[in-house]
Amino acid sequence: MRENVTIVEHPLVKHKISMLRDKNTGTNEFRKLVEEVTMLMGYEALRDLPLEDVEVETPIETCMTPMLAGRKLALVPILRAGLGMVGGMLALTPTAKVGHIGMYRDEDTHTPQDYYCKLPHPIDDRVIVVMDPMLATGGSAEDAITQIKKQGGTHIKFMSIIAAPEGLDRVSEAHPDVQIYVGQLDRCLNADAYICPGLGDAGDRIFGTV
Ligand code: PRP
Ligand code: URA
């Protein structure tokens, strides 16, 4: 279990997640922190991108030097809160295409309700990075990844800033072929399926809604 999971152990990630948790962190700062944490996690999540040597002429001489090769990227935020992570990843990979999957959790059943899915086409030749800051029950992430696989996605990664053990195990088991990157593993879910200690409702904090 959790063989496909990486908890990103970096002091900058831990520090910024603690700032995200603080209920006194306002919308503007919260958005910036989500982007920064995403960028730091993206550095780890994209560690295995293939390189190829290309010829470059420096002011001194011509050399063979590594550049990104092969498979192209697709970033897929889960709406709404995943949108907050797009800027951080695009700062690293500005030519990536961006798809969107829309879903919200039913307040009573805590199950995901799908309302939108638009992915780059074709999707099968891309490395796909699915993003959502919160992995709680895992229902949304599991469903989003299943939708992407149905449309032909094969090389999928999932990034989440905070995860609950229940949700992490669920997605890890449902999709053992998907590499999962998490900034912090929290204690548990509460009766409303919110992550404890968590940071509250990520979508509301990013978009200033209540
Ligand atoms: C939140 C979060 C995830 C989901 C996680 O979204 O951004 O998508 O809940 O919960 P789960 O792991 O139990 O499925 P929410 O449903 O609140 O929608 P929003 O982003 O539009 O606010
Ligand atoms: N969604 C959130 O935004 N926060 C949680 O703690 C759980 C689900």
Side-chain angles (χ1 to χ4, degrees):
M1 197 190 286
R2 296 194 189 164
E3 276 165 19
N4 53 338
V5 175
T6 302
I7 311 286
V8 179
E9 299 294 349
H10 193 291
L12 289 172
V13 171
K14 304 298 173 196
H15 178 82
K16 288 175 193 293
I17 290 175
S18 297
M19 292 173 76
L20 283 171
R21 291 191 195 281
D22 188 339
K23 67 178 186 183
N24 295 314
T25 297
T27 304
N28 185 26
E29 196 185 358
F30 193 91
R31 282 189 196 129
K32 283 189 201 156
L33 286 163
V34 167
E35 286 206 0
E36 288 168 5
V37 172
T38 304
M39 204 183 307
L40 292 164
M41 291 181 62
Y43 176 82
E44 185 61 38
L46 301 180
R47 182 180 283 284
D48 61 353
L49 286 185
L51 293 169
E52 67 183 352
D53 277 347
V54 298
E55 191 176 287
V56 168
E57 209 177 323
T58 81
I60 308 299
E61 63 179 32
T62 299
C63 65
M64 296 301 287
T65 190
M67 282 195 176
L68 292 175
R71 301 178 84 158
K72 296 176 182 145
L73 276 171
L75 309 177
V76 182
I78 300 177
L79 306 180
R80 292 175 302 166
L83 282 176
M85 301 173 75
V86 174
M89 284 300 281
L90 281 178
L92 298 177
T93 61
T95 60
K97 297 263 199 276
V98 181
H100 297 86
I101 292 188
M103 56 179 66
Y104 66 91
R105 280 199 325 181
D106 180 280
E107 280 183 15
D108 298 320
T109 64
H110 309 137
T111 54
Q113 311 295 309
D114 302 333
Y115 61 83
Y116 189 74
C117 181
K118 178 89 177 171
L119 302 178
H121 184 76
I123 194 78
D124 52 322
D125 62 345
R126 292 183 180 271
V127 175
I128 303 157
V129 184
V130 187
M131 299 179 291
D132 193 323
M134 308 306 278
L135 179 54
T137 66
S140 303
E142 182 185 352
D143 183 354
I145 294 166
T146 300
Q147 287 191 51
I148 292 168
K149 286 182 174 174
K150 279 189 185 151
Q151 295 205 21
T154 53
H155 191 161
I156 303 171
K157 296 168 183 276
F158 179 78
M159 278 174 64
S160 182
I161 293 177
I162 296 181
E166 301 90 319
L168 186 59
D169 289 342
R170 175 173 172 175
V171 180
S172 168
E173 283 170 29
H175 297 291
D177 54 317
V178 173
Q179 283 299 316
I180 302 170
Y181 299 86
V182 170
Q184 184 68 48
L185 183 58
D186 269 9
R187 196 177 69 250
C188 62
L189 296 174
N190 68 14
D192 296 321
Y194 272 77
I195 301 174
C196 304
L199 50 71
D201 187 307
D204 282 347
R205 295 197 65 188
I206 289 169
F207 295 106
T209 48
V210 184

